[in-house]
Amino acid sequence: MILFKLLNINKIQMAKIKMSKNVASIDMTAMCDVAFLLLTFFILTATAKTPEALPVTTPASTVEVKLPDTGLVMLTIGKSDGKDKVFFGMKDRDVRAKTLELMAAKYKLSFTPEETAQFALIDEFGVPIQALKQIIAMKAADRNKEGLQPGIPLDSLDNQLKDWIYTARQANIELGNDKELDFAIKGDAKQEYPNIKKIMDILQDQKINSFNLVTGARGKDF
């Protein structure tokens, strides 16, 4: 009987020293605050992407060459309202403004400093220079409505595209930029080759023999 009682006492003592199992908890308040602060920052600093003036579906390619962020002239050719159109765009705002100044002098037009400053904000356009004032006065959403801009003339009687290319290069030089402008052709995948060749001929007539053809990404075959 004494041995039995001693064993019971040992069991009671062993039970008393067992560690209690408590579930650990982490306070997520600080992390949630940081997440909401980051979300608010990105919302306030983000800018909405404006629709393209002439949206095109570029042909696919596996070649990956990044276009330069500055000093680039983009010539976009596509179809809108059943008609082939060419749009002209430049990366650098100071070159845009200077180019407009030179084009205005060539075509005997005048633009106010406010119109020139507004034109410097336009990435791409496709109208004859005589109608450029109306496009500049519009809001971006209205300016980029499909079918509104008829494209830049490039026929033999009125080749304004040639003049825009020439004056853009001249403006780049007059601004003291050492690097020459880069040129890229962004054509719709359904465009016929003669339409693309017209632009290539205009570039080559001005001794621009090196230019990029913009394509979309395509997965490689394995």
Side-chain angles (χ1 to χ4, degrees):
M1 293 295 292
I2 295 173
L3 181 60
F4 177 76
K5 287 181 179 180
L6 289 173
L7 289 173
N8 284 341
I9 292 172
N10 290 335
K11 287 181 180 180
I12 294 171
Q13 290 177 344
M14 289 177 64
K16 286 181 180 180
I17 62 173
K18 285 184 178 179
M19 300 294 293
S20 60
K21 295 180 180 179
N22 295 327
V23 179
S25 61
I26 301 174
D27 188 1
M28 299 292 291
T29 305
M31 190 172 291
C32 292
D33 290 342
V34 171
F36 279 111
L37 285 173
L38 289 173
L39 180 61
T40 304
F41 171 78
F42 287 124
I43 291 174
L44 293 176
T45 57
T47 55
K49 183 181 179 181
T50 56
E52 293 181 350
L54 183 63
V56 297
T57 303
T58 55
S61 172
T62 57
V63 179
E64 296 181 2
V65 178
K66 189 177 184 298
L67 292 173
D69 295 326
T70 59
L72 177 68
V73 174
M74 181 72 72
L75 307 174
T76 304
I77 178 169
K79 193 178 289 291
S80 177
D81 296 336
K83 299 178 181 179
D84 294 319
K85 300 179 181 181
V86 178
F87 280 53
F88 185 88
M90 288 176 283
K91 282 282 189 182
D92 302 275
R93 293 182 180 180
D94 56 343
V95 179
R96 289 182 216 164
K98 186 64 177 179
T99 302
L100 180 62
E101 178 187 328
L102 297 175
M103 282 290 288
K106 181 178 180 63
Y107 283 84
K108 296 179 172 57
L109 299 171
S110 62
F111 293 87
T112 65
E114 292 76 16
E115 288 173 333
T116 303
Q118 185 61 35
F119 175 77
L121 302 176
I122 300 175
D123 292 331
E124 195 175 30
F125 65 94
V127 293
I129 191 170
Q130 294 83 357
L132 195 55
K133 279 181 175 285
Q134 292 84 348
I135 294 298
I136 292 173
M138 292 181 179
K139 295 180 179 179
D142 298 330
R143 187 187 303 130
N144 293 335
K145 286 182 179 177
E146 185 178 358
L148 179 65
Q149 302 189 48
I152 297 177
L154 71 159
D155 54 48
S156 57
L157 298 177
D158 186 19
N159 197 336
Q160 293 188 20
L161 181 64
K162 177 190 72 175
D163 293 336
W164 278 109
I165 293 171
Y166 179 82
T167 52
R169 300 177 74 193
Q170 184 181 354
N172 185 62
I173 294 171
E174 291 189 12
L175 289 172
N177 296 326
D178 297 330
K179 184 178 180 297
E180 291 189 5
L181 293 176
D182 293 306
F183 288 83
I185 300 175
K186 183 180 179 182
D188 193 274
K190 296 181 180 179
Q191 275 292 323
E192 297 180 357
Y193 176 71
N195 296 327
I196 302 292
K197 190 175 184 301
K198 280 184 183 180
I199 300 178
M200 294 171 65
D201 289 341
I202 292 173
L203 293 173
Q204 291 178 333
D205 286 344
Q206 299 190 37
K207 309 300 181 184
I208 305 172
N209 297 312
S210 177
F211 47 84
N212 298 284
L213 294 175
V214 180
T215 58
R218 182 182 66 186
K220 295 181 180 180
D221 298 329
F222 293 96

